[in-house]
Amino acid sequence: MFDTALTWNDLVFLGQGAAMTLAVTVVSVAAGTIMGFVFGVIRFQAGPVWSMPLMFFLDIFRSVPLLIQLVLGNALQSIAKLGWPPFTTSCVVLSLYTAAYCTEIVRGGIASVPVTTRRAARSLGMTWGQDMRYIVAPLATRVSLPAWIGLTLGVMKDSALVLWLGLIELLRASQILVTRLQEPLFILLICGAIYFIISFPIARFGGYLERRWSPHD
Amino acid sequence: MIEIENVHKSFGSLEVLKGINLNVDNGEVVTIIGGSGSGKSTLLTCINGLEPINAGRIRIDGTEVHAKTTDLNRLRQKVGIVFQQWNAFPHLTVLENVMLAPRKVLGLPKEKSEEIAVKQLTHVGLRDKLSVYPSRMSGGQQQRMAIARALAMSPEYMLFDEVTSALDPMLVGEVLDTLKMLAEEGMTMICVTHEMAFARDVSDRVAFFHQGVMAEIGVPDQIFGSPQRPETQEFLGSVR
Amino acid sequence: MIEIENVHKSFGSLEVLKGINLNVDNGEVVTIIGGSGSGKSTLLTCINGLEPINAGRIRIDGTEVHAKTTDLNRLRQKVGIVFQQWNAFPHLTVLENVMLAPRKVLGLPKEKSEEIAVKQLTHVGLRDKLSVYPSRMSGGQQQRMAIARALAMSPEYMLFDEVTSALDPMLVGEVLDTLKMLAEEGMTMICVTHEMAFARDVSDRVAFFHQGVMAEIGVPDQIFGSPQRPETQEFLGSVR
Amino acid sequence: MFNYTFHWNQALRALPQMLDGALVTLQVAVLSMVIGLACAIALTVFRLSGNRVLSGFAAVWVEVARNTPALFQIYMAHFGLGNFGIHLSPYAALLAGIAFNNAGYLAENFRGALKAIPDTQTRAARSLGMTWLQAFHFIVLPQMLRIAYLPATNQMVWAILMTSLGVTVGMNTDLAGVTQELNARSFRTFEFFAIAAVIYYVIAKAVTLAARALAWRMFRY
Amino acid sequence: DKLDDIIGSGTLRCAVVLDFPPMGSRDASNNPVGFDVDYCNDLAKALGVTAEIVETPFPERIPALMSGRVDVGVASTSDTLERAKTVGMTIPYFAFEMAVTANEKSGVKSFEDMKGKVVGATAGTYEAIALEEQVKAWGEGEFRPYQTQADVFLALSQGQIDATVSTSTVAQANVKSGNFAGLSVVGKAPFDTDYVALFTNREEYGLINYLNLFINQQVRTGRYAELYEKWVGGEAPDLTVGGVYR
Ligand SMILES: Nc1ncnc2c1ncn2[C@@H]1O[C@H](COP(=O)(O)OP(=O)(O)OP(=O)(O)O)[C@@H](O)[C@H]1O
Ligand SMILES: Nc1ncnc2c1ncn2[C@@H]1O[C@H](COP(=O)(O)OP(=O)(O)OP(=O)(O)O)[C@@H](O)[C@H]1O
Ligand SMILES: [Mg+2]
Ligand SMILES: [Mg+2]
């Protein structure tokens, strides 16, 4: 059906693009989740008033287009002469972006653990850390995991924007091939299909977990 | 021995405990009754240091609970507490629920803590539920598990806060029986309850709380038979 | 008059009603008791046409409920029903809840329907709650509102499906009192209930359902005093 | 470490131009929400219709919208459709891309909201003699709107942020487009984008606050 | 200074735009090739170091320099006064004539025919700025900036825009490539010649001096003409402007 000049080589090139998309996503989500975890705990412990400055800072990442954040982040690192390659810059910006959303997910997860359950843990002589680790963490994870999966997929899709900084991720790789081969529809469809293949099963899995864990247990 | 001396406690501007005095001897069972919001639960959470107090003093075996130097986590191993509901750790099986604290807090090896857990679960009649998750059990079974979990730390004192009031009427009996058993074994206990029959049966002394004050305390026959204070009379009248 | 003739009803392969026969005269109060899953709720939803039936016939004042030509929306104005729970429309105030159907279904003007609504709400003792949202009321008040809402359509028949079983024990009384009041006023009613004392007090006849069959029907004294069928005896034994 | 001199003056002189861009941004976002809502309602009806073709169509739309990047969708709207000789202007392509995306997310949101309304509500309404339509109109819809409202306002904020992607298809009148053009001329990237970021932030916050105020007035229960 | 740093480090990192044939593009195995790529290699050879090609999209050229990710831009950058406020420009190393490329279906046969049509160019380039001004002056038609040169030609071949103004080299290269059916170069655009310069940090005079001399040497040795022949073909444009010192 498709008479195409697309070669095996080009498919490998697309594959490399997809690998870059995944690499950016994995690094950013990992770093963003760690930060989000720390911020979320701070946010929960400090209460709404004391965590205001933190919330304001994080809110910026949710209220400014990612594209603008990336360009600004890149300009900033260049002004500061940090000499980061685009990969680093992209990951730093995306991590903060992830952290901003993750913080709320973590806070919500912690808040979903009933106070009495935590009191029960503390009154058995557990320390705050033990309570957090053995009781709050597993319970909050169940509540938060579906939202976290959604966030991860969101970041994966949003990571397409790092092409702006010159990173050859999946969408950019497709554009390069479109430039050379002039088969925009066909190549873009492949590109979309790859995104879909990565995203859809995970999204479904998230939905499954949500249904499975929604009340408790 | 638990010594409570002139304890005051406020939440913001609301004074919830207005100078409570109470000594509980070893082996004694004291029940606390009283209207909603009278400060019963608050007192229990102050006793094991989950809440700070504003004035007064609580000592357990001579150790002051709210002193800066007190290792609260240590102290709490001595004082078990069971609440009204959401006691169970829902992500752990019954056995794991009971084993967790002995392992992590006391640092016992796995086999030893499993042994303790099985023993206590057998004690409260849950021998056949070891690998079940709490959500698969009735509320009464969950409460008995919570009691076993507290007992697994070999506490010297037990505090119970309306452990039956979130339960179906049909399940109340099994939990109260467990408490009775503990009382008969000589455990020192403070029980907050709305079950008057239970209070009458089991207690050495019954304390009536009213608006943050311990309005009256005495042996069950006196409190239920001839209450002195009008508030007590009114409360008992409304309950029956 | 409600005439139920040999009604069969299945959900998929599960036969839930296996040939039910029952006539309810005007002014009569029939209670239905029986174990869970015996088909009590299903029968009620068939009577007002919320569920289709597979065989048999249900007539209300001579109109066949499940005939193609029947205007069900019309018919339902005659037959009020109140369910176990989530009856209240949470986005409307109490007054709006009760006014909605008279306005939109009967097409009455605003003043007229408000008048009716206030009258019925006063009747069930909610005169002072007109502009409150249901979420601010107790379960018992919500159920009384649901009754008022059904009454506002001036139905000739009322069906009640375990209207108290989702309520706190303390709130059951107020709702049952409302039902009693209706019965005394001569409303024709079919009540599914687990409250045996109520069934005994209020009913003209009591029907016992067992696995999709009406196993026994009779006056309360007979059913409660000398049940004929072993299933009935067993059921009544387990309830008390 | 810094030997970059900021030229704020030059950037601030372009502020009126950027504010004009912000208006276009807001316009695209609002239009995309309106169109998205309309499509989402249609999709929801399709999904409930029980018709295989319609519900299949709706399912594909929703899944593609939710599982591919918005940038991809906008790029597709311009260059993908262009391949068929369907020519959308940058404005139209941007609008179509975001509306497509909005519709997918909103439809999913509506479905969740519908599921959250207990069946007994419809039953109670029907048993008062209401027709199916009346029950939906007076009972289900208002409750559904309340549940769907908060996620919908989030979607509105995302729509605003997504408009910035228009630059990839030749959009030069919205805030991001204007900013990028100014930047390309002068290479004063940081200054111009910083100002743009502030404007976006203000718009996003204003919309969120307005939505909250509206919710406060609308949902009293 | 930076010149020493480059020599010391042994690598010269050049910012090159790779969707701008024939100046920069990718071959069938997706490796960088083009005039700018060769030019960077020559410069590295002159410095006695190895060249590293850093692909930068148009908007990323300056941030890449500022952040020290690249040493020199060999990226067909027009030497506008506006930009010279931010970076240091050398003397011109290349000059573009502007050509009009049109989709045959549009009926555009000359620059004047573009009046009232939908036209486009690569955002922020010299020709884009001039063309946008022209569209405004005409008072009818529409101007669309795309972020890459490739997108411009894609849009043109799809008929989304009717015509574009681009550097003649790019126009020729794209039309010749055979990738785009129905496109032809229909004439010159009456814009000034677009001189493009190498650029580096504003304060690196030592390096800028070296680059100026290097450009001079490229012309003198005939390497400039050679590269022009290789990538574009024909007479290499004059890099000097009469009547003024530089
Ligand atoms: N964490 C808290 N913050 C603020 N006020 C509180 C807190 N905990 C309890 N209170 C208030 O303190 C008062 C006493 O509460 P407490 O729970 O001790 O009453 P109680 O006697 O246990 O009542 P009940 O029988 O309802 O459990 C109540 O007015 C309650 O609202
Ligand atoms: N919509 C439905 N689809 C399939 N099965 C149903 C449906 N509604 C009820 N059933 C089944 O029909 C049987 C009878 O249900 P019904 O609700 O009439 O029982 P009931 O006598 O009212 O019980 P309860 O006292 O628990 O309310 C049950 O087995 C139930 O699972
Ligand atoms: Mg209490
Ligand atoms: Mg039922």
Side-chain angles (χ1 to χ4, degrees):
Chain A
M1 174 168 122
F2 284 103
D3 181 19
T4 174
L6 196 75
T7 63
W8 177 245
N9 237 344
D10 296 330
L11 279 180
V12 172
F13 188 63
L14 275 182
Q16 285 167 348
M20 178 59 84
T21 292
L22 287 179
V24 171
T25 308
V26 168
V27 173
S28 309
V29 168
T33 303
I34 293 170
M35 281 191 281
F37 178 76
V38 174
F39 293 158
V41 171
I42 293 176
R43 169 114 164 70
F44 182 84
Q45 292 298 125
V49 176
W50 288 103
S51 53
M52 278 260 270
L54 177 66
M55 288 332 287
F56 177 77
F57 170 72
L58 291 177
D59 207 31
I60 294 173
F61 294 91
R62 293 185 293 179
S63 307
V64 172
L66 184 58
L67 178 65
I68 307 265
Q69 291 179 36
L70 282 167
V71 173
L72 261 184
N74 195 36
L76 203 60
Q77 66 86 17
S78 78
I79 290 171
K81 292 224 181 309
L82 298 175
W84 289 346
F87 183 81
T88 311
T89 313
S90 306
C91 288
V92 169
V93 173
L94 271 173
S95 304
L96 285 167
Y97 177 76
T98 311
Y101 287 97
C102 197
T103 300
E104 280 311 297
I105 295 178
V106 170
R107 189 201 61 80
I110 298 176
S112 75
V113 180
V115 188
T116 46
T117 306
R118 301 193 60 178
R119 287 199 153 189
R122 292 308 297 278
S123 63
L124 287 169
M126 289 194 206
T127 60
W128 182 84
Q130 285 173 326
D131 170 35
M132 272 307 212
R133 187 158 156 220
Y134 300 114
I135 307 301
V136 178
L139 289 176
T141 304
R142 292 178 173 213
V143 174
S144 310
L145 200 63
W148 182 84
I149 287 179
L151 174 64
T152 301
L153 291 177
V155 173
M156 200 263 293
K157 284 173 277 169
D158 291 342
S159 77
L161 284 171
V162 304
L163 65 86
W164 201 264
L165 300 189
L167 271 193
I168 304 178
E169 46 64 72
L170 182 51
L171 189 56
R172 177 76 187 122
S174 321
Q175 286 178 348
I176 289 173
L177 291 182
V178 169
T179 304
R180 232 191 54 238
L181 304 172
Q182 295 306 317
E183 297 173 20
L185 190 66
F186 179 56
I187 293 169
L188 285 177
L189 280 179
I190 295 180
C191 166
I194 296 177
Y195 273 115
F196 196 88
I197 289 167
I198 302 175
S199 173
F200 185 71
I202 305 179
R204 274 299 162 97
F205 180 65
Y208 164 78
L209 284 186
E210 191 158 22
R211 254 171 287 129
R212 168 110 199 265
W213 285 351
S214 60
H216 17 86
D217 199 11
Chain B
M1 173 161 187
I2 301 176
E3 295 158 281
I4 300 169
E5 237 178 273
N6 193 28
V7 165
H8 288 258
K9 163 79 189 169
S10 305
F11 290 110
S13 62
L14 179 75
E15 191 169 24
V16 175
L17 296 179
K18 300 171 184 161
I20 302 291
N21 288 290
L22 174 66
N23 286 357
V24 181
D25 282 330
N26 283 357
E28 195 181 16
V29 175
V30 174
T31 27
I32 303 180
I33 60 175
S36 186
S38 56
K40 309 181 297 293
S41 303
T42 306
L43 181 65
L44 292 199
T45 50
C46 290
I47 292 178
N48 84 338
L50 285 170
E51 289 282 359
I53 57 178
N54 299 91
R57 190 156 45 194
I58 300 179
R59 273 185 305 225
I60 294 179
D61 292 345
T63 313
E64 195 168 329
V65 176
H66 296 89
K68 285 247 160 59
T69 50
T70 305
D71 180 350
L72 271 177
N73 296 322
R74 203 77 191 277
L75 190 89
R76 286 185 192 134
Q77 297 165 22
K78 236 191 209 172
V79 188
I81 185 167
V82 180
F83 305 93
Q84 185 167 339
Q85 55 179 332
W86 289 306
N87 270 305
F89 304 142
H91 59 301
L92 301 177
T93 62
V94 169
L95 182 63
E96 287 164 351
N97 256 280
V98 181
M99 278 171 67
L100 185 67
R103 285 197 67 191
K104 302 300 175 186
V105 177
L106 302 182
L108 297 181
K110 189 157 181 283
E111 298 72 35
K112 182 68 190 154
S113 41
E114 183 164 335
E115 192 191 310
I116 295 177
V118 172
K119 187 180 126 211
Q120 294 300 349
L121 284 167
T122 313
H123 201 163
V124 300
L126 293 174
R127 179 72 186 76
D128 55 336
K129 299 280 179 187
L130 298 186
S131 57
V132 167
Y133 282 94
S135 57
R136 298 244 167 286
M137 300 202 303
S138 73
Q141 291 170 325
Q142 290 191 33
Q143 287 297 51
R144 276 146 61 200
M145 183 203 75
I147 296 172
R149 196 175 59 191
L151 292 178
M153 300 294 287
S154 325
E156 292 166 32
Y157 306 93
M158 286 291 298
L159 314 177
F160 295 97
D161 187 3
E162 298 186 27
V163 286
T164 59
S165 52
L167 299 183
D168 269 11
M170 289 177 49
L171 304 173
V172 169
E174 61 187 54
V175 177
L176 292 184
D177 287 347
T178 308
L179 294 194
K180 254 181 225 167
M181 177 182 77
L182 279 183
E184 280 156 20
E185 289 168 12
M187 174 67 75
T188 313
M189 293 165 39
I190 305 182
C191 308
V192 171
T193 188
H194 283 157
E195 301 286 333
M196 296 304 148
F198 169 79
R200 182 167 230 158
D201 267 21
V202 174
S203 329
D204 295 312
R205 283 188 294 162
V206 176
F208 170 67
F209 272 46
H210 185 68
Q211 296 181 352
V213 173
M214 193 163 77
E216 193 164 355
I217 183 164
V219 294
D221 284 347
Q222 183 252 305
I223 295 287
F224 292 109
S226 55
Q228 303 299 308
R229 299 284 296 261
E231 302 95 310
T232 319
Q233 290 161 9
E234 191 187 339
F235 175 77
L236 290 174
S238 77
V239 169
R240 250 166 288 169
Chain C
M1 172 160 186
I2 301 177
E3 295 158 283
I4 300 169
E5 238 178 271
N6 193 29
V7 164
H8 286 259
K9 164 78 191 169
S10 305
F11 289 111
S13 61
L14 178 75
E15 192 168 23
V16 175
L17 296 179
K18 301 171 182 161
I20 302 290
N21 288 289
L22 174 66
N23 286 357
V24 180
D25 282 330
N26 284 358
E28 195 180 18
V29 175
V30 173
T31 30
I32 302 180
I33 60 174
S36 184
S38 57
K40 309 181 297 293
S41 302
T42 307
L43 181 65
L44 293 198
T45 49
C46 290
I47 292 177
N48 83 338
L50 283 171
E51 289 282 357
I53 59 177
N54 299 91
R57 190 154 46 195
I58 300 178
R59 273 186 304 229
I60 293 178
D61 292 343
T63 314
E64 194 168 331
V65 176
H66 295 90
K68 286 249 160 56
T69 49
T70 305
D71 180 350
L72 271 176
N73 296 323
R74 204 78 189 278
L75 190 89
R76 287 188 191 130
Q77 297 166 23
K78 233 190 211 175
V79 188
I81 185 166
V82 180
F83 306 94
Q84 184 168 340
Q85 54 179 334
W86 291 304
N87 270 306
F89 302 140
H91 60 299
L92 302 176
T93 62
V94 168
L95 182 63
E96 287 164 351
N97 255 280
V98 181
M99 277 172 66
L100 185 67
R103 286 199 66 190
K104 301 299 176 186
V105 177
L106 303 181
L108 298 182
K110 189 155 181 285
E111 299 72 36
K112 183 68 190 149
S113 41
E114 184 164 336
E115 189 192 312
I116 296 177
V118 172
K119 187 180 126 210
Q120 293 299 348
L121 283 167
T122 312
H123 201 164
V124 300
L126 292 174
R127 179 70 185 77
D128 54 336
K129 298 280 179 187
L130 299 185
S131 57
V132 168
Y133 282 96
S135 57
R136 300 243 166 283
M137 300 202 304
S138 73
Q141 290 170 325
Q142 291 191 33
Q143 286 298 50
R144 274 146 62 200
M145 184 205 75
I147 296 172
R149 196 174 60 192
L151 292 178
M153 300 294 286
S154 324
E156 292 166 34
Y157 307 94
M158 284 291 296
L159 314 177
F160 294 97
D161 187 6
E162 298 187 27
V163 286
T164 60
S165 51
L167 298 182
D168 269 10
M170 288 177 51
L171 305 172
V172 168
E174 61 187 54
V175 176
L176 292 184
D177 287 346
T178 308
L179 294 194
K180 253 181 226 168
M181 178 182 77
L182 281 182
E184 278 156 20
E185 289 168 13
M187 174 67 76
T188 313
M189 294 166 37
I190 305 182
C191 308
V192 171
T193 187
H194 284 156
E195 301 286 331
M196 296 305 148
F198 168 80
R200 180 168 232 159
D201 266 21
V202 174
S203 330
D204 295 312
R205 283 187 296 161
V206 176
F208 170 67
F209 272 47
H210 184 68
Q211 296 181 354
V213 174
M214 192 164 78
E216 194 163 354
I217 184 164
V219 294
D221 284 347
Q222 183 251 308
I223 296 288
F224 291 111
S226 54
Q228 304 297 308
R229 301 282 298 261
E231 303 94 309
T232 319
Q233 289 161 10
E234 192 186 339
F235 175 75
L236 290 174
S238 77
V239 170
R240 252 164 291 169
Chain D
M1 156 170 133
F2 292 96
N3 57 2
Y4 181 92
T5 319
F6 294 96
H7 291 188
W8 289 109
N9 247 332
Q10 183 189 356
L12 284 174
R13 243 179 287 134
L15 193 59
Q17 223 178 320
M18 294 177 78
L19 288 178
D20 285 345
L23 272 185
V24 176
T25 288
L26 205 56
Q27 186 189 33
V28 174
V30 169
L31 276 178
S32 76
M33 263 323 260
V34 172
I35 300 172
L37 270 174
C39 293
I41 291 168
L43 290 177
T44 309
V45 173
F46 287 0
R47 284 217 265 190
L48 296 177
S49 69
N51 178 320
R52 284 206 154 192
V53 178
L54 289 183
S55 61
F57 170 80
V60 168
W61 181 323
V62 171
E63 295 304 345
V64 170
R66 286 158 38 89
N67 289 299
T68 59
L71 181 58
F72 169 82
Q73 292 160 17
I74 293 165
Y75 204 76
M76 253 332 223
H78 195 62
F79 290 113
L81 292 181
N83 207 47
F84 292 117
I86 302 170
H87 296 161
L88 299 183
S89 72
Y91 186 94
L94 177 62
L95 188 56
I98 304 178
F100 175 82
N101 188 282
N102 283 344
Y105 278 91
L106 289 172
E108 192 66 9
N109 174 14
F110 288 168
R111 186 166 74 153
L114 269 181
K115 267 209 315 219
I117 300 169
D119 201 29
T120 48
Q121 288 281 311
T122 329
R123 286 197 154 210
R126 294 293 304 234
S127 63
L128 287 170
M130 290 189 210
T131 62
W132 184 87
L133 207 63
Q134 283 176 324
F136 185 80
H137 180 174
F138 297 117
I139 305 304
V140 178
L141 192 63
Q143 296 187 47
M144 184 181 129
L145 283 185
R146 179 190 160 133
I147 300 173
Y149 184 80
L150 188 71
T153 59
N154 285 338
Q155 187 66 30
M156 174 73 198
V157 173
W158 279 323
I160 293 169
L161 304 191
M162 274 190 281
T163 57
S164 67
L165 304 177
V167 289
T168 52
V169 292
M171 182 87 179
N172 62 343
T173 48
D174 73 316
L175 180 51
V178 169
T179 310
Q180 172 58 8
E181 198 140 301
L182 290 165
N183 165 49
R185 280 183 197 203
S186 64
F187 287 168
R188 285 283 148 188
T189 313
F190 185 80
E191 289 88 328
F192 284 117
F193 277 87
I195 292 177
V198 172
I199 299 178
Y200 274 114
Y201 182 84
V202 170
I203 297 178
K205 282 291 111 180
V207 166
T208 312
L209 289 181
R212 256 193 232 152
L214 201 63
W216 180 252
R217 294 220 33 186
M218 282 196 315
F219 307 119
R220 283 295 176 76
Y221 60 100
Chain E
D1 64 356
K2 191 153 198 165
L3 183 55
D4 287 332
D5 294 345
I6 295 169
I7 297 166
S9 73
T11 29
L12 169 72
R13 296 163 306 166
C14 303
V16 180
V17 178
L18 289 182
D19 61 8
F20 197 56
M23 305 306 282
S25 61
R26 287 173 183 275
D27 65 12
S29 40
N30 296 309
N31 291 321
V33 291
F35 182 96
D36 283 344
V37 175
D38 284 355
Y39 212 81
C40 173
N41 284 327
D42 288 351
L43 178 57
K45 209 189 292 166
L47 286 164
V49 297
T50 50
E52 183 188 325
I53 306 296
V54 178
E55 183 190 7
T56 49
F58 275 107
E60 231 285 305
R61 290 174 295 184
I62 304 306
L65 175 73
M66 295 304 235
S67 64
R69 213 148 37 76
V70 300
D71 302 311
V72 176
V74 188
S76 311
T77 310
S78 309
D79 55 356
T80 68
L81 288 171
E82 189 69 25
R83 291 169 176 182
K85 290 178 191 165
T86 308
V87 294
M89 298 280 187
T90 65
I91 59 172
Y93 79 100
F94 199 88
F96 292 111
E97 304 255 85
M98 293 301 158
V100 177
T101 309
N103 189 315
E104 278 156 14
K105 282 189 216 121
S106 71
V108 174
K109 293 274 180 280
S110 70
F111 182 76
E112 279 70 33
D113 289 348
M114 289 168 74
K115 187 174 174 187
K117 302 278 186 189
V118 181
V119 299
T122 315
T125 57
Y126 179 81
E127 60 272 21
I129 296 167
L131 182 58
E132 185 170 13
E133 228 97 277
Q134 183 67 59
V135 170
K136 263 189 214 141
W138 278 331
E140 52 180 315
E142 184 189 341
F143 172 79
R144 289 183 191 169
Y146 287 92
Q147 294 305 310
T148 66
Q149 187 73 61
D151 283 349
V152 176
F153 278 91
L154 182 56
L156 185 63
S157 72
Q158 288 185 348
Q160 309 239 26
I161 57 176
D162 297 317
T164 180
V165 171
S166 64
T167 62
S168 55
T169 50
V170 166
Q172 292 295 353
N174 273 308
V175 172
K176 262 196 304 194
S177 73
N179 285 334
F180 304 96
L183 299 193
S184 57
V185 179
V186 296
K188 292 202 173 204
F191 299 150
D192 297 337
T193 307
D194 176 21
Y195 292 101
V196 295
L198 308 183
F199 63 87
T200 186
N201 303 72
R202 218 169 56 173
E203 66 284 1
E204 292 294 341
Y205 299 108
L207 182 55
I208 295 174
N209 270 332
Y210 187 91
L211 293 174
N212 284 337
L213 184 59
F214 171 74
I215 292 167
N216 186 300
Q217 295 270 5
Q218 286 287 90
V219 178
R220 256 197 271 166
T221 57
R223 176 66 175 162
Y224 168 61
E226 191 183 317
L227 285 181
Y228 191 86
E229 183 60 36
K230 175 178 173 191
W231 291 108
V232 189
E235 181 91 1
D238 192 356
L239 297 179
T240 56
V241 184
V244 68
Y245 292 108
R246 156 82 197 222

